[in-house]
Amino acid sequence: MPIVTPDLCDDYPEVNVVDPGFRNFGGVDAFGGEIVTVKCFEDNSVVKEQVAKPGEGKVMVVDGGGSMRAALLGDMLAEKAASNGWAGLIIYGCIRDVDVIGQTKLGVQALGTHPRKTDKRGIGDLNVPVTFGGVTFRPGHYVYADNNGIVVSEKALKTG
């Protein structure tokens, strides 16, 4: 079923809408699923650990503190996420290797791009509530994204 966030807003007025500012970079323009959260700052160690695990159609929401100084996702991690069944990643921060990610069968939204990778210090929190874009993302809730924006719901929504 296609995901169209304006239709979801019309059909489910109770959804939360993330403030504008995210761009679609992945090879899949519209995606959604159950939320898994990562909170990290200029260290994508936990992201790397999670994309190596089965994603089962889930969406990883990464709170990178809005940092524009390093990329939290690159082509190798995006390819690993796609091969492990993740529906997508929403990154409050930057990504890199955008040409390859644009060809990867994965939804990816982020604030922007940066060619520098992060340090790997093993720092980050998994499955904690994270807040950015005026919305709190909670593990087990649902997120839907397309070229129109990002919406968050406490329950799975019927799309299409």
Side-chain angles (χ1 to χ4, degrees):
M1 293 279 202
I3 293 170
V4 181
T5 58
D7 291 349
L8 292 177
C9 288
D10 293 350
D11 295 343
Y12 303 95
E14 72 278 9
V15 299
N16 293 301
V17 179
V18 177
D19 293 342
F22 287 83
R23 292 178 42 206
N24 218 340
F25 292 100
V28 176
D29 286 340
F31 60 98
E34 186 179 344
I35 295 171
V36 172
T37 65
V38 173
K39 185 174 180 79
C40 57
F41 186 76
E42 297 179 4
D43 179 346
N44 69 348
S45 300
V46 178
V47 174
K48 182 177 181 181
E49 291 169 6
Q50 292 307 301
V51 297
K53 297 178 180 179
E56 303 159 359
K58 295 179 181 176
V59 176
M60 190 182 310
V61 176
V62 181
D63 180 356
S67 173
M68 303 300 275
R69 299 187 303 196
L72 293 170
L73 181 74
D75 60 344
M76 292 188 294
L77 296 186
E79 289 172 4
K80 179 70 77 176
S83 69
N84 283 323
W86 289 89
L89 288 92
I90 296 171
I91 299 182
Y92 185 52
C94 291
I95 68 166
R96 67 187 203 161
D97 303 314
V98 295
D99 296 329
V100 176
I101 290 174
Q103 301 299 314
T104 304
K105 191 175 179 187
L106 182 71
V108 176
Q109 290 215 7
L111 295 178
T113 63
H114 197 290
R116 180 167 301 167
K117 67 181 179 177
T118 67
D119 292 329
K120 306 281 189 294
R121 300 179 310 275
I123 299 170
D125 297 311
L126 177 66
N127 281 331
V128 296
V130 298
T131 302
F132 57 83
V135 172
T136 298
F137 299 82
R138 299 183 190 286
H141 286 187
Y142 291 81
V143 64
Y144 303 89
D146 65 8
N147 285 323
N148 297 291
I150 302 169
V151 299
V152 179
S153 172
E154 292 181 18
K155 61 183 180 183
L157 304 178
K158 183 178 179 186
T159 59

